């Protein structure tokens, strides 16, 4: 599934959730609104009955057409309010039904009382008439009192229902907010995790390729946008690798071609210096010696480029001979001791007594160790000490070259293994080089299925360690 589809789906889920929650909230809001209206209806009923009772009293005391009309009007109003709509359950329905019955009974009693004033009664005894009217008035007032009590019950019932509704509404809103936040957070996390994981893989891959490992391919099996980007990255790396290979092949060819005439020049200069072509004057000899030294440097550089190109074009085939590392390291140290002495530097070799022979290519490993030792000397002041320590474990043999020189900053430690990488460091006197030594060391160690590591601190010194696997 593409990232775009994922984003669309997650947005749809989000929208559906918001829509669903809005509908539920609207329904609950409507229900709360009805509960409020019911409570208000209860209050109106109560008010109307109380007023009717008051008018009943007035009517009994001083009967007037106005109070009669008012009573009738209130009766009609109450009739309308008592209509059983928006009921909240059987309890409310029961109260309202009783109230309607009571209301009709009140009307009947009131009408009978009124009739007793307007039509001549069967009995003409004023005492009987008065007691009849008193009885009716008493019943009327009792019924209205009962109605007031019922209205009170209705109000209490409606208020409880409203309170429950409001609490429910509050929790529902809270729940909806929490749910939406939760779903949004989960959604955001899922999408960002997918994106950041994919970006992490791409970034790490790009960094590895940028660090010079052009054979690295970004692993991204999914067919989404990142998969396509990884594919594009990988084909870019393949093109770069191809260009790099062509360049290395060109350097290899050129180095071969340069080496032959440079070696011939060296031979002729040696003949001249040795006097085979006649005696040379002092100035001529000096100039020739300088030319000889420059030619040696030129040959050294050509050789270095040749080895690097060989390592890069798979033309370097390792021999993997069982090698005595103790002897190899001591040979190198002895050979370089003279050069170190010119800087008043010393070198010591530490080796375990019984060291097993390790399957390596001694000539290629020699190039690496010589390079590390030369660097240790070049990047250390005079009178400093260099140590070479050989160790073995069950899985690997290590050769560590440690100096107390100028050291390398953390920022530069990642750069110095790249091709043609030279660092202008504090405390460094101008040292000539092409920035190929450590790059070649890394390549040769990789061909041995090993690696080279560095521990260094600016101003304190560096330790380069070669790790050679034994299994
Ligand atoms: P070069 O042959 O030109 O010296 P290298 O690849 O051997 O190139 O070294 C690359 C850079 O690493 C050097 O320019 C130097 O700044 C740094 N470097 C190498 N070895 C040391 C060391 N032992 N101490 C401090 N800096 C070092």
């Amino acid at each position: 599934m593409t990232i775009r589809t994922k984003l669309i789906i997650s947005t749809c889920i989000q929208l559906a959730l918001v829509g669903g929650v809005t509908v539920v909230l609207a329904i609950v809001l409507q229900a709360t609104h009805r509960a409020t209206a019911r409570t208000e209806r209860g209050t109106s009923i109560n008010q109307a009955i109380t007023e009717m009772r008051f008018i009943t009293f007035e009517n009994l005391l001083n009967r007037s057409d106005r109070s009669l009309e008012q009573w009738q009007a209130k009766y009609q109003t109450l009739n309308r309010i008592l209509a059983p709509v928006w009921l909240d359950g059987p309890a409310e329905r029961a109260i309202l039904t009783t109230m309607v019955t009571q209301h009709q009974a009140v009307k009947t009693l009131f009408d009978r009382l009124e009739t007793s004033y307007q039509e001549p009664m069967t009995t003409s005894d004023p005492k009987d008439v008065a007691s009849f009217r008193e009885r009716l008035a008493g019943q009327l007032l009792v019924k209205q009192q009962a109605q007031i009590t019922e209205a009170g019950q209705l109000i209490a019932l409606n208020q409880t229902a409203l309170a429950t509704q409001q609490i429910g509404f509050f929790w529902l809103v809270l729940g909806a907010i929490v749910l939406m936040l939760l779903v949004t957070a989960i959604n955001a996390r899922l999408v960002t995790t997918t994106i950041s994981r994919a970006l992490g893989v791409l970034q790490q891959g790009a960094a590895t390729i940028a660090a010079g490992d052009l054979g690295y391919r970004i692993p991204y099996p999914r067919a989404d946008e990142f998969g396509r980007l990884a594919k594009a990255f990988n084909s870019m790396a393949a093109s770069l690798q191809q260009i790099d290979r062509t360049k290395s092949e060109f350097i290899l060819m050129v180095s071969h071609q340069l080496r032959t005439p440079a070696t011939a020049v060296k031979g002729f200069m040696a003949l001249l210096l040795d006097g085979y072509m006649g005696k040379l004057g002092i100035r001529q000899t000096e100039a020739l010696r300088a030319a000889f030294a420059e030619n040696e440097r030129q040959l050294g550089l050509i050789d270095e480029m040749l080895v690097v190109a060989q390592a890069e074009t798979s033309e370097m085939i390792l021999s993997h001979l069982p090698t005595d590392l103790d002897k190899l390291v001591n040979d190198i140290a002895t050979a370089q001791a003279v050069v170190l002495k010119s800087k008043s530097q010393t070198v010591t070799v530490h080796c375990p007594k019984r060291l097993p022979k390790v399957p390596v290519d001694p000539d290629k490993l020699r190039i690496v160790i010589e390079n590390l030792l030369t660097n240790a000397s070049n990047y250390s002041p005079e009178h400093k000490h260099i140590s070479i320590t050989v160790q073995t474990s069950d899985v690997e043999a290590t050769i560590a070259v440690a100096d107390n020189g100028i050291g390398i900053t953390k920022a530069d430690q990642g750069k110095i293994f790249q091709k043609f990488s030279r660092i202008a460091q504090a405390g460094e006197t101008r040292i000539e080089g092409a920035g190929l030594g450590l790059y070649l060391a890394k390549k040769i160690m990789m061909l041995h299925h090993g690696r080279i590591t560095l521990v260094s601190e600016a101003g304190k010194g560096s330790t380069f360690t070669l790790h050679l696997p034994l299994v």
Side-chain angles (χ1 to χ4, degrees), residues 63-74:
R63 297 190 60 258
S64 69
D65 285 349
R66 214 177 73 81
S67 63
L68 213 94
E69 265 170 34
Q70 280 180 342
W71 200 94
Q72 295 290 0
K74 280 285 161 209

Side-chain angles (χ1 to χ4, degrees), residues 111-129:
D111 286 349
R112 279 176 67 191
L113 197 62
E114 272 310 304
T115 316
S116 77
Y117 284 112
Q118 281 151 18
E119 290 172 15
M121 303 215 21
T122 42
T123 174
S124 51
D125 185 351
K127 258 179 132 186
D128 284 352
V129 171

